[in-house]
């Protein structure tokens, strides 16, 4: 909502300026003090004024009727159009053992990159045929599984980076303490991440962040070595963000993963340049790299409306490898299918505003899994800004909250495959939002609101003594609590409510006995 308001505010400003400008032309025209030229019968001047006023009127009407999102989208000079691709480049996947040599000479091309395991190659060709046409022709060849243009891709905030609001009250990181608005915001309060962190902090979980890099100099990432991750734009081992129109995106996203899962290990992969533009080939490369690096979760705060077989193949390989993947739904307020959010094995995340309603800009549809706060989100800003902290809007910032929740789940159950983590996220999502109850699967809200606390409680319920496992000692602990005034279940009281009745009593004890001794049902989820 705020994003749209911000968009309309700027339109209003433009309108006010236009009105003032048109007055400066109109007033002398109709005013009593006629100019020298008008006294002289200056027809030319009058015509110019008439034309200028006409033009201004047309612009005025145009701005008044044009929906805000088009104006916002137009502001991003670097925002790729649908289907836009790198000129004279193709991505091909060949059958095992096939080589591209047979048609490279024919198209006057050469290989500029390859991903060996899936046998995907990137070629440059030198003729005047458009990439789409060339791809269609090559995909009919024997041995070619697919051929496609190397589509451009970008993060949705490319067109909205002017909406960053640096926090002037907390310009720098003071004495190792991050500012209050970072720890105390809708993202932490609604997902109850601080309580969830009593049970899990994401320790030993590697989170790959496919974005435009990270600011290693930000104090929040103090322990992160500069060579962590990879830079696929410059092809070097330093995925630091570079100064450009999209400065801060990857840093902001990474800050939110850390907010939810403070002890996870970040693995930044830089696939978007300083202006937020990347392509399908390097995104695929980064996904394969994440598989090689054995990351546990991948955050993808980007989306495209152009399906890419290359990205889809990489996502399928990561899915096959059991990696949990999370993607943002996009900021165009539309239900057009977007990728990678809608691919199998990806948890797609939309944004809600401060009142729990779908954020105006958030994309939606049947593929949506969950929602998380996405307006006035507070996180780490690149240190080039006047403050190390600030606010930003977008579904890009909803996704990393869910990614963090996945890291918490995986610390407790490291062998859970991505599909099970996705089910867990859906099952434990909060369905009761401020305005009413979500009936899953809702196209605007998915399965509800990401709830980190419920997600981890679900895995720990029954472990009343917080030992890390559920056994007969927990039965003794509960009996001692109920009969002898012993200590309550810790660190979260709900862990003792194994039948999810809302209270702890002897029924929970018998439920636990039945589970442990008679193979009865496991402690409930919520
Ligand atoms: Ca670099
Ligand atoms: Ca999904
Ligand atoms: Ca225990
Ligand atoms: Ca109970």
């Amino acid at each position: 909502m705020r994003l749209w308001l911000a968009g309309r505010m700027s339109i209003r400003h433009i309108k006010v300026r236009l009105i003032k400008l048109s007055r400066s032309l109109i007033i002398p025209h109709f005013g009593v003090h006629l100019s020298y030229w008008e006294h002289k019968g200056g027809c030319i001047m009058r015509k110019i004024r008439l034309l200028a006023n006409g033009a201004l009127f047309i612009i005025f009407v145009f701005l008044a009727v044009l929906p805000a999102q088009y104006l916002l989208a137009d502001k991003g000079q670097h925002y790729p159009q649908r289907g836009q691709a790198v000129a004279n480049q193709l991505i091909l996947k060949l059958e095992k053992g096939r080589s591209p040599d047979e048609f490279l000479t024919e198209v006057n091309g050469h290989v500029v990159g390859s991903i060996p395991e899936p046998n995907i190659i990137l070629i440059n060709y030198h003729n005047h045929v458009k990439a789409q046409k060339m791809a269609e022709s090559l995909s009919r060849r024997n041995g070619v599984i697919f051929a496609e243009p190397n589509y451009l891709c970008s993060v949705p905030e490319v067109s909205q980076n002017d909406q960053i609001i640096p926090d002037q009250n907390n310009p720098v990181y003071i004495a190792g303490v991050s500012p209050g608005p970072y720890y105390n915001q809708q993202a932490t309060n609604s997902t109850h991440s601080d309580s969830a962190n009593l049970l899990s902090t994401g320790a030993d979980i590697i989170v790959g962040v496919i974005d435009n890099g990270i600011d290693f100099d930000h104090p929040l990432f103090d322990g992160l070595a500069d060579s962590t991750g990879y830079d696929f734009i410059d092809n070097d081992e330093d995925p630091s963000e570079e100064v450009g129109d999209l400065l801060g995106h990857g840093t902001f996203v990474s800050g939110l993963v850390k907010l939810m899962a403070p002890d996870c290990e970040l693995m930044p992969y830089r696939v978007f340049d300083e202006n937020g533009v990347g392509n399908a080939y390097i995104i695929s490369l980064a996904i394969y790299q994440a598989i090689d690096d054995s990351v546990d979760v991948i955050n993808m705060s980007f989306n495209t409306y152009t399906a890419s077989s290359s990205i889809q193949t990489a996502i399928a390989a990561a899915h096959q490898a059991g990696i949990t993947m999370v993607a943002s739904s996009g900021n165009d307020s539309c239900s057009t299918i977007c990728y990678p959010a809608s691919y199998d094995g990806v948890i797609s995340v939309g944004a809600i505003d401060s009142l729990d309603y779908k954020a105006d800009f958030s994309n939606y549809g049947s593929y949506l899994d969950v929602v998380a706060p996405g307006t006035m989100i507070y996180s780490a800003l690149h240190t080039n800004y006047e403050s190390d902290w600030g606010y930003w809007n977008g579904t890009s910032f909803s996704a990393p909250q869910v990614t963090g929740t996945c890291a918490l789940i995986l610390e407790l159950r490291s062998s859970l495959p991505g599909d099970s983590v996705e089910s867990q996220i859906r099952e434990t999502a909060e369905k009761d939002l401020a305005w009413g109850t979500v009936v899953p699967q809702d196209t605007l809200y998915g399965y509800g609101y990401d709830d980190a606390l419920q997600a981890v409680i679900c895995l720990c319920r029954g472990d009343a003594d917080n030992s890390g496992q559920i056994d007969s000692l927990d039965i003794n602990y509960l009996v001692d609590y109920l009969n002898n005034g012993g200590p309550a279940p810790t660190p979260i009281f709900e862990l003792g409510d194994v039948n999810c009745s809302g209270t702890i009593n002897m029924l929970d004890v018998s439920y636990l006995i039945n589970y442990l001794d008679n193979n009865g049902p496991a402690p409930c989820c919520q």
Side-chain angles (χ1 to χ4, degrees):
M1 180 194 279
R2 284 191 178 88
L3 181 136
W4 272 56
L5 283 178
R8 284 180 178 143
M9 280 289 283
S10 60
I11 295 165
R12 199 178 308 141
H13 286 145
I14 296 166
K15 285 176 184 171
V16 169
R17 276 168 184 259
L18 283 172
I19 289 165
K20 282 181 180 168
L21 188 64
S22 71
R23 273 184 192 152
S24 72
L25 286 159
I26 290 163
I27 287 169
H29 187 78
F30 296 109
V32 286
H33 304 292
L34 297 181
S35 72
Y36 167 82
W37 289 103
E38 279 166 328
H39 279 301
K40 286 283 182 190
C43 288
I44 298 170
M45 198 60 193
R46 211 168 285 179
K47 277 180 184 166
I48 290 172
R49 278 208 189 98
L50 217 69
L51 278 172
N53 286 334
L56 284 168
F57 179 72
I58 290 165
I59 293 169
F60 183 87
V61 170
F62 178 72
L63 286 171
V65 299
L66 197 66
Q69 77 262 34
Y70 292 115
L71 283 168
L72 288 172
D74 284 350
K75 281 185 349 189
Q77 293 170 14
H78 310 285
Y79 201 79
Q81 301 298 309
R82 203 171 291 190
Q84 200 178 336
V86 182
N88 291 75
Q89 227 172 49
L90 289 181
I91 307 176
L92 293 105
K93 179 169 161 61
L94 307 176
E95 281 172 7
K96 248 198 168 98
R98 295 298 281 250
S99 138
D101 293 348
E102 50 190 278
F103 47 76
L104 277 181
T105 330
E106 203 180 306
V107 301
N108 194 13
H110 61 280
V111 175
V112 289
S114 66
I115 312 173
E117 206 280 306
N119 209 14
I120 284 177
I121 57 165
L122 181 69
I123 66 165
N124 271 349
Y125 66 90
H126 305 282
N127 61 38
H128 296 300
V129 183
K130 288 210 163 119
Q132 188 62 50
K133 271 238 144 45
M134 181 67 85
E136 280 163 18
S137 140
L138 288 185
S139 58
R140 287 192 287 268
R141 297 290 187 103
N142 277 342
V144 177
I145 295 171
F146 66 73
E148 65 180 8
N150 187 11
Y151 294 116
L152 293 181
C153 211
S154 72
V155 302
E157 288 74 21
V158 158
S159 56
Q160 295 142 12
N161 64 327
D162 57 343
Q163 292 178 16
I164 295 172
I165 306 171
D167 178 11
Q168 305 296 355
N169 296 324
N170 294 287
V172 287
Y173 192 83
I174 301 164
V177 179
S178 300
Y182 176 65
Y183 288 114
N184 185 16
Q185 59 176 311
Q186 190 191 2
T188 44
N189 297 335
S190 62
T191 61
H192 313 105
S193 60
D194 47 353
S195 300
N197 288 157
L198 296 172
L199 297 169
S200 174
T201 54
D204 298 325
I205 298 304
I206 306 174
V207 178
V209 178
I210 299 182
D211 217 290
N212 68 326
I214 193 168
D215 179 5
F216 287 103
D217 293 333
H218 195 286
L220 191 61
F221 312 120
D222 242 358
L224 200 62
D226 286 13
S227 56
T228 313
Y230 198 79
D231 179 350
F232 293 94
I233 294 284
D234 294 340
N235 214 8
D236 66 36
E237 295 191 346
D238 175 11
S240 289
E241 276 200 58
E242 289 181 15
V243 177
D245 272 6
L246 198 75
L247 187 69
H249 195 269
T251 301
F252 204 85
V253 165
S254 302
L256 291 164
V257 175
K258 275 280 180 193
L259 176 66
M260 308 297 288
D263 291 333
C264 76
E265 187 186 328
L266 290 173
M267 189 67 77
Y269 299 116
R270 181 169 181 251
V271 302
F272 297 105
D273 66 13
E274 64 278 14
N275 298 316
V277 181
N279 60 60
Y281 178 73
I282 55 172
I283 290 170
S284 311
L285 264 183
I287 295 170
Y288 280 104
Q289 184 65 49
I291 300 172
D292 277 357
D293 291 342
S294 302
V295 309
D296 300 287
V297 197
I298 301 176
N299 187 83
M300 297 179 285
S301 287
F302 59 86
N303 64 296
T304 165
Y305 299 102
T306 313
S308 154
S309 301
S310 172
I311 294 179
Q312 188 172 12
T313 304
I315 295 269
H319 186 201
Q320 183 74 28
I323 297 175
T324 302
M325 288 172 282
V326 180
S328 52
S329 69
N331 293 358
D332 298 311
S333 192
C334 68
S335 59
T336 311
I337 290 286
C338 72
Y339 313 96
S342 63
Y343 286 136
D344 267 0
V346 178
I347 303 172
S348 56
V349 186
I352 47 174
D353 63 19
S354 60
L355 300 173
D356 283 8
Y357 285 101
K358 181 186 95 69
D360 280 358
F361 54 79
S362 184
N363 284 1
Y364 55 96
S366 55
Y367 64 91
L368 201 64
D369 289 305
V370 279
V371 289
T375 59
M376 289 301 277
I377 301 301
Y378 193 98
S379 187
L381 273 189
H382 193 282
T383 45
N384 269 32
Y385 285 98
E386 58 264 46
S387 168
D388 289 352
W389 305 93
Y391 300 88
W392 207 342
N393 300 326
T395 50
S396 281
F397 314 124
S398 308
Q401 297 168 46
V402 177
T403 293
T405 304
C406 294
L408 301 185
I409 292 172
L410 286 162
E411 183 200 318
L412 298 170
R413 295 283 190 285
S414 59
S415 59
L416 271 191
D419 282 338
S420 307
V421 177
E422 180 168 4
S423 313
Q424 180 88 357
I425 290 282
R426 287 173 166 190
E427 199 179 332
T428 57
E430 176 62 64
K431 274 93 186 158
D432 291 326
L433 306 192
W435 50 264
T437 301
V438 169
V439 180
Q441 182 185 12
D442 184 279
T443 52
L444 301 183
Y445 301 91
Y447 284 77
Y449 191 129
D450 173 44
D451 189 333
L453 181 61
Q454 282 310 318
V456 295
I457 281 185
C458 184
L459 299 171
C460 300
R461 213 182 273 273
D463 182 17
D465 64 358
N466 193 29
S467 69
Q469 52 190 2
I470 304 167
D471 52 27
S472 59
L473 292 177
D474 296 303
I475 296 172
N476 297 345
Y477 191 94
L478 279 181
V479 170
D480 185 46
Y481 164 65
L482 290 168
N483 294 345
N484 310 323
T490 181
I492 293 169
F493 187 71
E494 275 179 86
L495 296 182
D497 182 18
V498 288
N499 64 359
C500 294
S501 68
T503 55
I504 299 177
N505 53 33
M506 287 310 285
L507 290 176
D508 294 300
V509 174
S510 45
Y511 190 102
L512 207 49
I513 292 171
N514 189 39
Y515 166 61
L516 291 169
D517 295 349
N518 308 324
N519 245 347
C524 62
C525 211
Q526 65 178 161

